[in-house]
Amino acid sequence: MVATSTLKPKSSECVSELADRRYDHGCIDAGLDFWDHCLDEPQRAADATEDRTCQQLAKMFENCLSRAKKTTLHCSSVLVPEKLTRRIAREVLRLASCEPCGLRGSVLYVHLELDKGCKQLERIVYDATVVPTFELTLVFKQDGTAWPSLRDFLFMGTCFAPTFRHALKLSPGFRLVKKKLYSSSAGTVIEEC
């Protein structure tokens, strides 16, 4: 049996046609199951690759926050809502999917929105060998409902008080801004999540 683009789906007509040619029903079902599996396999491979890329991107965001907590944010820990970086990674992949080079052609600017304005945490070039075709600005939001911890109040009056915070809690919401580069229809897409 040969798989072609006109392969009939596994149906009673297809099976009866092969049975008329004296093929064994068990062999027919096994053959059709094999080709159904093969036809589905490219989608499964693409899904696995996308999932791996999503995990890598989420890990990049987590590492960015980890590096920024001591240098830029001046806190001992950053509390990230469960699956936030994974949600952001999926959105980034969705926005990159319609670009000529995909995610490889992106430059990601990571910011944190604080009470006093936005603070840039990091600039991430996903693939330095590719000329960027678009920019994405990710803005994490601080959770405004979080109460400061007792330990933060105890630090008041010490040498750490003005600049050092114990913990920073992020909100489950974020903002992604996409700016196309080198395009006649260059535009900006803002997504609030």
Side-chain angles (χ1 to χ4, degrees):
M1 184 182 297
V2 177
T4 65
S5 61
T6 59
L7 182 66
K8 296 178 185 177
K10 187 175 173 180
S11 66
S12 59
E13 299 153 2
C14 181
V15 173
S16 64
E17 178 184 320
L18 292 173
D20 290 342
R21 294 185 193 165
R22 308 247 188 252
Y23 286 102
D24 178 40
H25 280 284
C27 182
I28 294 169
D29 287 338
L32 290 174
D33 286 341
F34 172 78
W35 288 112
D36 287 344
H37 173 73
C38 288
L39 292 173
D40 289 341
E41 197 60 37
Q43 183 59 39
R44 288 184 191 147
D47 290 346
T49 302
E50 184 176 326
D51 190 50
R52 194 171 344 152
T53 304
C54 188
Q55 288 174 355
Q56 290 170 345
L57 197 54
K59 189 69 174 165
M60 284 175 66
F61 293 135
E62 291 166 10
N63 290 338
C64 170
L65 289 169
S66 179
R67 284 186 297 272
K69 73 181 178 184
K70 296 275 186 208
T71 58
T72 311
L73 300 176
H74 305 290
C75 61
S76 62
S77 63
V78 177
L79 304 175
V80 181
E82 187 178 2
K83 299 181 183 177
L84 175 65
T85 55
R86 183 96 168 154
R87 277 185 31 234
I88 293 170
R90 274 196 303 270
E91 284 299 310
V92 166
L93 288 174
R94 187 182 64 76
L95 290 172
S97 66
C98 60
E99 292 297 321
C101 298
L103 186 59
R104 294 178 57 229
S106 69
V107 176
L108 297 159
Y109 294 96
V110 182
H111 295 265
L112 174 64
E113 188 174 86
L114 298 168
D115 299 331
K116 303 167 191 154
C118 275
K119 187 177 263 195
Q120 183 171 345
L121 304 181
E122 199 165 310
R123 178 181 182 265
I124 302 170
V125 178
Y126 195 79
D127 187 347
T129 64
V130 177
V131 175
T133 58
F134 69 104
E135 294 175 344
L136 283 173
T137 303
L138 165 63
V139 182
F140 286 106
K141 296 181 178 183
Q142 184 178 1
D143 189 352
T145 62
W147 285 83
S149 71
L150 181 59
R151 188 174 295 167
D152 289 340
F153 285 118
L154 294 176
F155 276 124
M156 289 184 185
T158 67
C159 60
F160 297 115
T163 59
F164 188 80
R165 253 189 303 219
H166 177 64
L168 174 74
K169 185 176 179 186
L170 297 181
S171 164
F174 61 92
R175 185 171 53 245
L176 269 174
V177 179
K178 177 181 176 180
K179 181 180 176 189
K180 291 186 173 211
L181 307 172
Y182 312 111
S183 173
S184 59
S185 63
T188 303
V189 177
I190 300 173
E191 296 216 359
E192 193 92 22
C193 299

